[in-house]
Amino acid sequence: MSTQTADLTTERKTQIKELVCDILELELDEVTDTSLFKEEHDADSLRTIEILASMERTFGLVLEQAELSRMINLAGVYAVVAEAEGK
């Protein structure tokens, strides 16, 4: 997984973080790569679906609903996006 996320550019990671923070209505400095969306930022399942849909729209990806279980923090979103882009 770490090699997959290493494939994302810093610019792409920043873009993903900005999208996630916008959806969660948080400031950039409130979210770390490992902070948990649900437990630490009170995100409900609809927010996670919004994040998945936003990644699909923004980056032209097709992501499986099953990936939602991995998208619990930024690191998970980075991994899902990197894997989808690698296909």
Coordinates of all heavy atoms in Angstrom, one line a residue:
M1 N 0.8 -1.2 0.0 CA 0.0 0.0 0.0 C 0.9 1.2 0.0 O 0.6 2.2 -0.7 CB -0.9 0.0 1.2 CG -1.9 1.1 1.2 SD -3.3 0.9 2.3 CE -2.7 1.4 3.8
S2 N 2.0 1.2 0.7 CA 2.8 2.4 0.8 C 3.4 2.8 -0.6 O 3.6 3.9 -0.9 CB 3.9 2.3 1.9 OG 4.7 1.2 1.6
T3 N 3.7 1.7 -1.4 CA 4.3 2.0 -2.7 C 3.2 2.6 -3.6 O 3.5 3.5 -4.4 CB 4.9 0.8 -3.4 OG1 3.8 -0.2 -3.4 CG2 6.1 0.3 -2.6
Q4 N 1.9 2.2 -3.4 CA 0.9 2.8 -4.2 C 0.7 4.3 -3.9 O 0.6 5.1 -4.8 CB -0.5 2.1 -3.9 CG -0.5 0.7 -4.5 CD -0.7 0.7 -6.0 OE1 -1.0 1.7 -6.6 NE2 -0.5 -0.5 -6.6
T5 N 0.7 4.6 -2.6 CA 0.5 6.0 -2.2 C 1.7 6.9 -2.6 O 1.6 8.0 -2.9 CB 0.2 6.2 -0.7 OG1 1.2 5.6 0.0 CG2 -1.2 5.6 -0.4
A6 N 2.9 6.2 -2.7 CA 4.0 6.9 -3.1 C 3.9 7.3 -4.6 O 4.6 8.3 -5.0 CB 5.3 6.1 -2.9
D7 N 3.1 6.6 -5.3 CA 2.9 7.0 -6.7 C 2.1 8.3 -6.9 O 2.1 8.9 -8.0 CB 2.1 5.8 -7.5 CG 3.0 4.6 -7.6 OD1 4.2 4.7 -7.4 OD2 2.4 3.5 -7.8
L8 N 1.4 8.7 -5.9 CA 0.6 10.0 -6.0 C 1.6 11.1 -5.8 O 2.4 11.1 -4.9 CB -0.5 10.0 -4.9 CG -1.6 9.1 -5.1 CD1 -2.6 9.3 -3.9 CD2 -2.4 9.3 -6.4
T9 N 1.4 12.1 -6.6 CA 2.3 13.3 -6.5 C 1.8 14.1 -5.3 O 0.7 14.0 -4.8 CB 2.2 14.2 -7.8 OG1 0.8 14.7 -7.9 CG2 2.6 13.5 -9.0
T10 N 2.7 15.0 -4.8 CA 2.3 15.9 -3.7 C 1.1 16.7 -4.1 O 0.2 17.0 -3.3 CB 3.5 16.8 -3.3 OG1 4.6 15.9 -3.0 CG2 3.2 17.7 -2.2
E11 N 1.1 17.1 -5.4 CA 0.0 18.0 -5.9 C -1.3 17.2 -5.8 O -2.3 17.7 -5.4 CB 0.3 18.4 -7.3 CG -0.7 19.3 -7.9 CD -0.4 19.7 -9.4 OE1 0.8 19.9 -9.7 OE2 -1.3 19.8 -10.2
R12 N -1.3 15.9 -6.2 CA -2.5 15.1 -6.2 C -3.0 14.9 -4.8 O -4.1 15.0 -4.5 CB -2.2 13.8 -6.9 CG -3.4 12.8 -6.9 CD -4.7 13.3 -7.6 NE -4.5 13.8 -8.9 CZ -4.8 13.2 -10.0 NH1 -5.2 12.0 -10.0 NH2 -4.6 13.8 -11.2
K13 N -2.0 14.6 -3.9 CA -2.4 14.4 -2.5 C -3.0 15.7 -1.9 O -4.0 15.7 -1.2 CB -1.2 14.0 -1.6 CG -0.8 12.6 -1.8 CD 0.4 12.3 -0.9 CE 0.8 10.8 -1.1 NZ 1.9 10.4 -0.2
T14 N -2.5 16.9 -2.2 CA -3.0 18.1 -1.8 C -4.4 18.3 -2.3 O -5.3 18.8 -1.6 CB -2.1 19.3 -2.2 OG1 -0.8 19.1 -1.6 CG2 -2.7 20.6 -1.8
Q15 N -4.6 18.0 -3.6 CA -5.9 18.1 -4.2 C -7.0 17.2 -3.5 O -8.1 17.7 -3.2 CB -5.8 17.8 -5.7 CG -7.0 18.2 -6.6 CD -6.7 17.9 -8.1 OE1 -5.7 17.2 -8.4 NE2 -7.5 18.4 -8.9
I16 N -6.6 16.0 -3.2 CA -7.5 15.1 -2.5 C -7.8 15.6 -1.2 O -9.0 15.6 -0.7 CB -6.8 13.7 -2.4 CG1 -6.7 13.0 -3.8 CG2 -7.6 12.8 -1.5 CD1 -5.9 11.8 -3.9
K17 N -6.8 16.1 -0.4 CA -7.0 16.6 0.9 C -8.0 17.8 0.9 O -8.9 17.9 1.7 CB -5.7 17.0 1.6 CG -5.8 17.4 3.0 CD -4.5 17.6 3.7 CE -4.7 18.0 5.2 NZ -3.5 18.1 5.9
E18 N -7.8 18.7 -0.1 CA -8.7 19.8 -0.2 C -10.1 19.4 -0.5 O -11.1 19.9 0.1 CB -8.2 20.8 -1.3 CG -6.9 21.5 -0.9 CD -6.3 22.3 -2.1 OE1 -6.8 22.2 -3.2 OE2 -5.4 23.1 -1.8
L19 N -10.3 18.4 -1.3 CA -11.7 17.9 -1.6 C -12.3 17.3 -0.4 O -13.5 17.5 -0.1 CB -11.6 16.8 -2.7 CG -11.3 17.4 -4.1 CD1 -11.0 16.2 -5.1 CD2 -12.5 18.1 -4.7
V20 N -11.5 16.5 0.3 CA -12.0 15.8 1.5 C -12.4 16.8 2.6 O -13.4 16.8 3.2 CB -11.0 14.8 2.1 CG1 -11.3 14.3 3.5 CG2 -10.9 13.6 1.1
C21 N -11.5 17.8 2.8 CA -11.8 18.8 3.8 C -13.0 19.7 3.5 O -13.8 20.0 4.3 CB -10.6 19.7 4.0 SG -9.2 18.9 4.9
D22 N -13.2 19.9 2.2 CA -14.4 20.6 1.7 C -15.7 19.8 2.0 O -16.6 20.4 2.6 CB -14.3 20.9 0.2 CG -15.4 21.8 -0.3 OD1 -15.6 22.9 0.4 OD2 -16.0 21.5 -1.3
I23 N -15.6 18.6 1.8 CA -16.8 17.7 2.0 C -17.1 17.6 3.5 O -18.2 17.6 4.0 CB -16.6 16.3 1.4 CG1 -16.7 16.4 -0.2 CG2 -17.6 15.3 1.9 CD1 -16.1 15.2 -0.9
L24 N -16.0 17.4 4.3 CA -16.2 17.3 5.7 C -16.3 18.6 6.5 O -16.5 18.6 7.7 CB -15.0 16.5 6.3 CG -14.7 15.1 5.8 CD1 -13.5 14.5 6.5 CD2 -16.0 14.2 6.0
E25 N -16.2 19.7 5.7 CA -16.4 21.0 6.3 C -15.3 21.3 7.4 O -15.7 21.7 8.5 CB -17.8 21.3 6.7 CG -18.8 21.2 5.6 CD -20.2 21.4 6.1 OE1 -20.5 21.6 7.3 OE2 -21.1 21.2 5.2
L26 N -14.1 21.0 7.1 CA -13.0 21.1 8.0 C -11.9 22.0 7.4 O -11.8 22.0 6.1 CB -12.4 19.8 8.4 CG -13.4 18.8 9.1 CD1 -12.8 17.4 9.2 CD2 -13.6 19.3 10.5
E27 N -11.1 22.6 8.2 CA -9.9 23.3 7.7 C -8.8 22.3 7.4 O -8.8 21.2 8.0 CB -9.4 24.2 8.8 CG -10.4 25.3 9.2 CD -10.7 26.3 8.0 OE1 -9.8 26.6 7.2 OE2 -11.9 26.6 7.9
L28 N -7.9 22.6 6.5 CA -6.8 21.7 6.1 C -6.0 21.2 7.2 O -5.6 20.1 7.3 CB -5.9 22.4 5.0 CG -6.6 22.6 3.6 CD1 -5.6 23.4 2.7 CD2 -7.0 21.3 3.0
D29 N -5.7 22.1 8.2 CA -4.9 21.7 9.3 C -5.6 20.9 10.4 O -4.9 20.4 11.3 CB -4.2 23.0 10.0 CG -5.3 23.9 10.6 OD1 -6.5 23.7 10.4 OD2 -4.8 24.9 11.2
E30 N -6.9 20.6 10.2 CA -7.6 19.8 11.1 C -7.5 18.3 10.8 O -7.8 17.5 11.6 CB -9.1 20.2 11.2 CG -9.4 21.5 11.8 CD -10.8 21.9 11.8 OE1 -11.5 21.4 12.7 OE2 -11.3 22.6 10.8
V31 N -7.1 18.0 9.5 CA -7.1 16.6 9.0 C -5.7 16.2 8.7 O -5.0 16.9 8.0 CB -8.0 16.5 7.7 CG1 -8.0 15.1 7.2 CG2 -9.4 17.0 8.0
T32 N -5.3 15.1 9.3 CA -4.0 14.5 9.0 C -4.2 13.2 8.2 O -5.3 12.8 8.0 CB -3.3 14.1 10.3 OG1 -4.0 13.0 10.9 CG2 -3.1 15.3 11.3
D33 N -3.1 12.7 7.7 CA -3.2 11.5 6.8 C -3.9 10.3 7.6 O -4.5 9.5 7.0 CB -1.9 11.0 6.3 CG -1.3 11.9 5.3 OD1 -2.0 12.9 4.8 OD2 -0.2 11.7 4.8
T34 N -3.7 10.3 8.9 CA -4.2 9.2 9.7 C -5.4 9.5 10.6 O -5.9 8.6 11.3 CB -3.1 8.6 10.6 OG1 -2.6 9.6 11.4 CG2 -2.0 8.0 9.7
S35 N -5.9 10.7 10.6 CA -7.0 11.0 11.5 C -8.3 10.4 10.8 O -8.5 10.4 9.6 CB -7.2 12.5 11.7 OG -7.4 13.2 10.4
L36 N -9.1 9.8 11.7 CA -10.2 9.0 11.2 C -11.4 9.9 11.0 O -11.8 10.7 11.8 CB -10.6 7.9 12.3 CG -9.4 6.9 12.6 CD1 -9.8 6.0 13.7 CD2 -9.1 6.1 11.3
F37 N -12.0 9.8 9.8 CA -13.1 10.6 9.4 C -14.3 10.5 10.3 O -14.8 11.5 10.8 CB -13.6 10.3 8.0 CG -12.5 10.5 6.9 CD1 -12.6 9.8 5.7 CD2 -11.6 11.5 7.0 CE1 -11.6 10.0 4.7 CE2 -10.6 11.7 6.0 CZ -10.7 10.9 4.9
K38 N -14.7 9.3 10.6 CA -15.9 9.0 11.5 C -15.6 9.4 12.9 O -16.3 10.1 13.5 CB -16.3 7.6 11.3 CG -17.6 7.3 12.1 CD -18.0 5.8 11.9 CE -19.2 5.5 12.8 NZ -19.6 4.1 12.6
E39 N -14.5 8.7 13.5 CA -14.3 8.8 14.9 C -13.8 10.2 15.3 O -14.2 10.7 16.4 CB -13.3 7.8 15.4 CG -13.8 6.4 15.3 CD -13.8 5.7 13.9 OE1 -13.5 6.4 12.9 OE2 -14.1 4.5 13.8
E40 N -12.9 10.8 14.5 CA -12.3 12.1 14.9 C -13.0 13.3 14.3 O -12.8 14.4 14.8 CB -10.8 12.1 14.6 CG -10.1 11.0 15.4 CD -8.6 10.9 15.0 OE1 -7.9 12.0 15.0 OE2 -8.2 9.8 14.7
H41 N -13.7 13.1 13.2 CA -14.2 14.3 12.5 C -15.8 14.2 12.3 O -16.3 15.0 11.6 CB -13.6 14.5 11.1 CG -12.1 14.6 11.2 ND1 -11.5 15.6 11.9 CD2 -11.1 13.8 10.7 CE1 -10.2 15.5 11.8 NE2 -9.9 14.4 11.1
D42 N -16.4 13.2 13.0 CA -17.8 13.1 13.0 C -18.5 13.0 11.6 O -19.6 13.4 11.4 CB -18.5 14.3 13.8 CG -18.1 14.3 15.2 OD1 -18.0 13.2 15.8 OD2 -17.9 15.4 15.8
A43 N -17.7 12.3 10.7 CA -18.3 12.1 9.4 C -19.2 10.9 9.4 O -18.9 9.9 9.9 CB -17.1 11.9 8.4
D44 N -20.4 11.1 8.7 CA -21.3 10.0 8.6 C -21.0 9.2 7.3 O -20.2 9.6 6.5 CB -22.7 10.4 8.8 CG -23.1 11.4 7.7 OD1 -22.4 11.5 6.7 OD2 -24.2 12.1 7.9
S45 N -21.7 8.1 7.1 CA -21.5 7.3 5.9 C -21.8 8.1 4.6 O -21.2 7.8 3.6 CB -22.3 6.0 6.0 OG -23.7 6.3 6.1
L46 N -22.7 9.0 4.7 CA -23.0 9.8 3.5 C -21.8 10.7 3.1 O -21.6 10.9 1.9 CB -24.3 10.7 3.7 CG -25.6 10.0 3.7 CD1 -26.7 10.9 4.0 CD2 -25.9 9.3 2.4
R47 N -21.1 11.2 4.0 CA -19.9 12.0 3.7 C -18.9 11.1 3.0 O -18.2 11.6 2.1 CB -19.3 12.6 5.0 CG -20.2 13.5 5.7 CD -20.3 14.9 5.0 NE -21.2 15.7 5.8 CZ -21.1 17.0 5.9 NH1 -20.2 17.6 5.3 NH2 -22.0 17.7 6.6
T48 N -18.7 9.9 3.5 CA -17.8 9.0 2.8 C -18.2 8.7 1.4 O -17.3 8.7 0.5 CB -17.6 7.7 3.6 OG1 -17.4 8.0 5.0 CG2 -16.5 6.8 3.1
I49 N -19.5 8.5 1.2 CA -20.0 8.3 -0.2 C -19.7 9.5 -1.0 O -19.3 9.4 -2.2 CB -21.5 7.9 -0.2 CG1 -21.6 6.5 0.5 CG2 -22.0 7.9 -1.6 CD1 -23.0 6.1 0.8
E50 N -19.9 10.7 -0.5 CA -19.6 12.0 -1.2 C -18.1 12.0 -1.5 O -17.8 12.5 -2.6 CB -19.9 13.2 -0.3 CG -21.4 13.5 -0.2 CD -21.6 14.8 0.6 OE1 -21.0 15.9 0.2 OE2 -22.3 14.7 1.7
I51 N -17.2 11.6 -0.6 CA -15.8 11.6 -0.9 C -15.5 10.7 -2.1 O -14.8 11.1 -3.0 CB -15.0 11.2 0.3 CG1 -15.1 12.3 1.4 CG2 -13.5 10.9 0.0 CD1 -14.6 11.9 2.8
L52 N -16.1 9.5 -2.1 CA -15.9 8.5 -3.2 C -16.4 9.1 -4.5 O -15.7 9.1 -5.5 CB -16.6 7.2 -2.9 CG -16.4 6.1 -3.9 CD1 -16.2 4.8 -3.3 CD2 -17.6 6.0 -4.8
A53 N -17.6 9.7 -4.5 CA -18.1 10.3 -5.7 C -17.3 11.4 -6.2 O -17.1 11.6 -7.4 CB -19.6 10.7 -5.5
S54 N -16.8 12.2 -5.3 CA -16.0 13.4 -5.7 C -14.7 12.9 -6.3 O -14.2 13.5 -7.3 CB -15.7 14.2 -4.4 OG -14.9 15.3 -4.7
M55 N -14.1 11.9 -5.8 CA -12.8 11.3 -6.4 C -13.1 10.8 -7.8 O -12.3 11.0 -8.7 CB -12.3 10.2 -5.6 CG -11.8 10.5 -4.2 SD -10.6 11.8 -4.1 CE -11.4 13.0 -3.1
E56 N -14.3 10.2 -8.0 CA -14.6 9.7 -9.3 C -14.8 10.8 -10.3 O -14.2 10.8 -11.4 CB -15.9 8.9 -9.3 CG -15.8 7.5 -8.6 CD -17.0 6.7 -8.6 OE1 -18.1 7.3 -8.5 OE2 -16.9 5.5 -8.7
R57 N -15.5 11.8 -9.9 CA -15.8 13.0 -10.8 C -14.5 13.8 -11.1 O -14.2 14.1 -12.2 CB -16.8 14.0 -10.1 CG -18.2 13.6 -10.3 CD -19.1 14.8 -9.9 NE -18.8 15.4 -8.6 CZ -19.2 15.0 -7.5 NH1 -20.0 13.9 -7.4 NH2 -18.9 15.6 -6.3
T58 N -13.8 14.1 -10.1 CA -12.6 14.9 -10.2 C -11.5 14.3 -11.0 O -10.9 14.9 -11.8 CB -12.1 15.3 -8.8 OG1 -13.1 16.0 -8.1 CG2 -10.9 16.3 -8.9
F59 N -11.3 13.0 -10.8 CA -10.1 12.3 -11.4 C -10.5 11.4 -12.5 O -9.7 10.7 -13.1 CB -9.3 11.6 -10.3 CG -8.9 12.5 -9.2 CD1 -9.2 12.3 -7.9 CD2 -8.1 13.6 -9.5 CE1 -8.8 13.1 -6.9 CE2 -7.7 14.5 -8.5 CZ -8.0 14.2 -7.2
G60 N -11.8 11.3 -12.8 CA -12.3 10.4 -13.9 C -12.1 9.0 -13.6 O -11.7 8.2 -14.5
L61 N -12.3 8.6 -12.4 CA -12.1 7.2 -11.9 C -13.4 6.5 -11.8 O -14.4 7.1 -11.6 CB -11.3 7.1 -10.6 CG -10.0 7.8 -10.6 CD1 -9.5 7.9 -9.1 CD2 -9.0 7.1 -11.4
V62 N -13.3 5.1 -11.7 CA -14.5 4.3 -11.3 C -14.0 3.6 -10.1 O -13.1 2.8 -10.1 CB -14.9 3.3 -12.5 CG1 -16.0 2.4 -12.0 CG2 -15.3 4.1 -13.7
L63 N -14.7 3.9 -9.0 CA -14.3 3.2 -7.7 C -15.5 2.4 -7.2 O -16.6 2.7 -7.3 CB -14.0 4.3 -6.6 CG -12.9 5.3 -7.0 CD1 -12.9 6.4 -5.9 CD2 -11.6 4.6 -7.1
E64 N -15.1 1.2 -6.7 CA -16.2 0.3 -6.2 C -16.7 0.7 -4.9 O -15.9 1.2 -4.1 CB -15.5 -1.1 -6.1 CG -15.0 -1.7 -7.4 CD -16.1 -2.0 -8.4 OE1 -17.2 -2.4 -8.0 OE2 -15.9 -1.8 -9.6
Q65 N -17.9 0.5 -4.6 CA -18.5 0.8 -3.3 C -17.8 0.1 -2.2 O -17.7 0.6 -1.1 CB -20.0 0.5 -3.3 CG -20.9 1.3 -4.2 CD -21.3 2.6 -3.6 OE1 -21.4 2.7 -2.3 NE2 -21.5 3.6 -4.4
A66 N -17.2 -1.1 -2.5 CA -16.5 -1.9 -1.5 C -15.3 -1.1 -1.0 O -14.8 -1.4 0.2 CB -16.1 -3.2 -2.1
E67 N -14.8 -0.1 -1.7 CA -13.6 0.6 -1.3 C -13.9 1.6 -0.1 O -13.0 2.1 0.5 CB -13.0 1.4 -2.5 CG -12.5 0.6 -3.6 CD -11.3 -0.3 -3.3 OE1 -10.8 -0.2 -2.1 OE2 -10.9 -1.0 -4.2
L68 N -15.2 1.8 0.1 CA -15.6 2.7 1.2 C -15.0 2.3 2.5 O -14.7 3.1 3.3 CB -17.1 2.8 1.3 CG -17.8 3.6 0.2 CD1 -19.3 3.4 0.3 CD2 -17.5 5.1 0.2
S69 N -14.9 1.0 2.7 CA -14.4 0.4 4.0 C -13.0 0.8 4.2 O -12.5 0.8 5.3 CB -14.6 -1.1 4.1 OG -13.9 -1.7 3.1
R70 N -12.3 1.1 3.2 CA -10.8 1.5 3.3 C -10.7 3.0 3.4 O -9.6 3.5 3.8 CB -10.1 1.0 2.0 CG -10.0 -0.5 2.0 CD -9.4 -1.0 0.7 NE -8.1 -0.5 0.5 CZ -7.5 -0.3 -0.7 NH1 -8.1 -0.6 -1.8 NH2 -6.3 0.2 -0.8
M71 N -11.7 3.7 3.0 CA -11.6 5.2 3.0 C -12.0 5.8 4.3 O -12.8 6.6 4.4 CB -12.5 5.7 1.8 CG -12.0 5.2 0.5 SD -13.1 5.7 -0.9 CE -12.9 7.4 -0.9
I72 N -11.2 5.4 5.4 CA -11.5 5.8 6.7 C -10.7 7.1 7.1 O -11.0 7.7 8.1 CB -11.3 4.7 7.7 CG1 -9.8 4.2 7.7 CG2 -12.3 3.6 7.5 CD1 -9.5 3.3 8.8
N73 N -9.7 7.3 6.3 CA -8.8 8.5 6.6 C -8.1 8.9 5.2 O -8.3 8.2 4.2 CB -7.8 8.2 7.6 CG -6.9 7.0 7.4 OD1 -6.7 6.6 6.2 ND2 -6.4 6.4 8.4
L74 N -7.3 9.9 5.2 CA -6.7 10.4 4.0 C -5.8 9.3 3.4 O -5.7 9.1 2.2 CB -5.9 11.6 4.2 CG -6.7 13.0 4.2 CD1 -5.7 14.1 4.6 CD2 -7.3 13.2 2.9
A75 N -5.0 8.6 4.3 CA -4.2 7.5 3.8 C -4.9 6.5 3.0 O -4.5 6.0 1.9 CB -3.4 6.9 4.9
G76 N -6.1 6.1 3.5 CA -7.0 5.2 2.8 C -7.5 5.7 1.5 O -7.5 5.0 0.4
V77 N -7.8 7.0 1.4 CA -8.3 7.6 0.2 C -7.1 7.7 -0.8 O -7.3 7.3 -2.0 CB -8.9 9.0 0.4 CG1 -9.3 9.7 -0.9 CG2 -10.1 8.9 1.4
Y78 N -6.0 8.1 -0.3 CA -4.8 8.1 -1.2 C -4.5 6.7 -1.9 O -4.3 6.6 -3.1 CB -3.5 8.5 -0.5 CG -3.5 9.9 0.1 CD1 -2.7 10.1 1.2 CD2 -4.2 10.9 -0.4 CE1 -2.6 11.4 1.7 CE2 -4.1 12.2 0.1 CZ -3.3 12.4 1.2 OH -3.3 13.7 1.7
A79 N -4.6 5.6 -1.1 CA -4.4 4.3 -1.5 C -5.4 3.9 -2.6 O -5.0 3.3 -3.6 CB -4.3 3.3 -0.4
V80 N -6.7 4.1 -2.3 CA -7.7 3.8 -3.2 C -7.6 4.5 -4.6 O -7.7 3.9 -5.6 CB -9.1 4.1 -2.6 CG1 -10.2 4.0 -3.6 CG2 -9.4 3.1 -1.4
V81 N -7.3 5.8 -4.5 CA -7.1 6.6 -5.7 C -5.9 6.1 -6.5 O -5.9 5.9 -7.7 CB -7.0 8.1 -5.4 CG1 -6.6 8.9 -6.6 CG2 -8.4 8.6 -4.9
A82 N -4.8 5.9 -5.8 CA -3.5 5.4 -6.4 C -3.7 4.1 -7.1 O -3.3 3.9 -8.3 CB -2.4 5.3 -5.4
E83 N -4.4 3.2 -6.5 CA -4.7 1.9 -7.1 C -5.6 2.0 -8.3 O -5.4 1.4 -9.3 CB -5.3 0.9 -6.1 CG -4.3 0.5 -5.0 CD -4.9 -0.2 -3.8 OE1 -6.1 -0.7 -3.9 OE2 -4.3 -0.3 -2.8
A84 N -6.6 2.8 -8.2 CA -7.6 3.0 -9.3 C -6.8 3.7 -10.5 O -7.1 3.3 -11.7 CB -8.7 3.9 -8.9
E85 N -5.9 4.6 -10.2 CA -5.2 5.3 -11.3 C -4.2 4.3 -11.9 O -3.8 4.4 -13.1 CB -4.5 6.5 -10.8 CG -5.4 7.6 -10.5 CD -4.7 8.9 -10.0 OE1 -3.6 8.8 -9.5 OE2 -5.3 10.0 -10.2
G86 N -3.7 3.3 -11.2 CA -2.7 2.4 -11.7 C -3.3 1.3 -12.6 O -2.6 0.5 -13.2
K87 N -4.6 1.2 -12.6 CA -5.3 0.2 -13.4 C -5.3 0.5 -14.9 O -5.3 1.6 -15.3 CB -6.7 -0.1 -12.9 CG -6.8 -0.7 -11.6 CD -8.2 -1.0 -11.2 CE -8.2 -1.6 -9.8 NZ -9.5 -1.8 -9.3

